[in-house]
Amino acid sequence: MEEAVVTDITRAALPPAPGADRYRSLDFADTAATLPAGQAYDLLAAPDSARSWLLAHNLTSEEVRLYELCAGRMRTLRGHVRSLFAARVDGTAPPEAALRAVNDALTAVPSAPLLAWDGAQGLRRVESHPTDQAVNHALAILAADAADLLTGADADLLAACGSAPCDRFLLRTHGRRHWCSTRCGDRARAARAYARRTGASE
């Protein structure tokens, strides 16, 4: 049965996972998720919603307009970031294509702010990325953030939500917590309680 993609309003019921406030790449990976009852959401499904996500994470400016090609590139990188996160959680070798895609994003734009001059402010460092390269700039930041998460002190905290069918990622910020939201935690506890009851009645 095909999943029904629900609207962005689902986001209000499924808040950012633990760690998303520290790593934008974690929230980026979680912009698509599977929900119970054959439903799913994708916050990058259309250019307008993808632009809204970038704006909310200070990764673009109001004057930038996104097109389907741009949203598609975001979805593609998201898939590769998710593959890298999944490999880290599973303790397996990361896919070569995912490593290549993240490295390509990292090197697509200048990595350092450039030196600029204007009469009002004098010499200053600026992030130089023309409007037509705004998505490249955003993807480079997200790729760098993902690389930092995967290689940094928090890498061992990366986990997949343990409440099926949810497939979001999180950082285990509290003990052995393995779910991404209160809703998923409640569902996991209810499933365990049901298993105990049905097992006891046999």
Side-chain angles (χ1 to χ4, degrees):
M1 184 174 66
E2 290 187 359
E3 292 176 341
V5 178
V6 295
T7 59
D8 292 3
I9 199 168
T10 304
R11 191 62 166 175
L14 202 59
D21 58 331
R22 292 156 56 187
Y23 294 97
R24 285 182 285 190
S25 61
L26 186 62
D27 205 44
F28 179 58
D30 288 343
T31 53
T34 303
L35 303 171
Q39 292 189 319
Y41 69 78
D42 186 347
L43 300 181
L44 309 180
D48 285 347
S49 60
R51 178 177 175 273
S52 295
W53 189 88
L54 289 175
L55 282 169
H57 291 77
N58 298 314
L59 289 169
T60 194
S61 55
E62 288 286 351
E63 66 269 16
V64 171
R65 292 290 174 265
L66 257 63
Y67 300 94
E68 175 52 33
L69 178 64
C70 302
R73 290 180 59 215
M74 291 176 67
R75 293 192 297 269
T76 296
L77 183 65
R78 177 185 64 194
H80 289 304
V81 168
R82 287 183 60 82
S83 293
L84 293 174
F85 285 179
R88 182 64 177 79
V89 169
D90 295 339
T92 59
E96 285 292 332
L99 288 172
R100 187 166 52 253
V102 167
N103 285 331
D104 286 347
L106 283 169
T107 57
V109 296
S111 59
L114 303 180
L115 187 64
W117 161 266
D118 69 51
Q121 298 183 18
L123 285 171
R124 57 197 177 96
R125 299 288 296 275
V126 297
E127 297 283 358
S128 178
H129 53 282
T131 299
D132 62 353
Q133 295 183 17
V135 171
N136 285 354
H137 180 74
L139 294 182
I141 291 173
L142 290 167
D145 189 81
D148 288 343
L149 171 54
L150 289 164
T151 60
D154 290 330
D156 289 338
L157 300 178
L158 186 63
C161 184
S163 180
C166 183
D167 52 4
R168 297 207 306 168
F169 294 97
L170 66 141
L171 292 187
R172 294 192 309 275
T173 52
H174 297 292
R176 299 179 63 187
R177 174 176 176 168
H178 277 274
W179 48 82
C180 69
S181 66
T182 300
R183 188 170 79 175
C184 281
D186 290 344
R187 191 166 60 245
R189 284 188 288 268
R192 286 198 299 267
Y194 177 77
R196 285 196 300 270
R197 286 197 307 272
T198 56
S201 64
E202 292 176 353

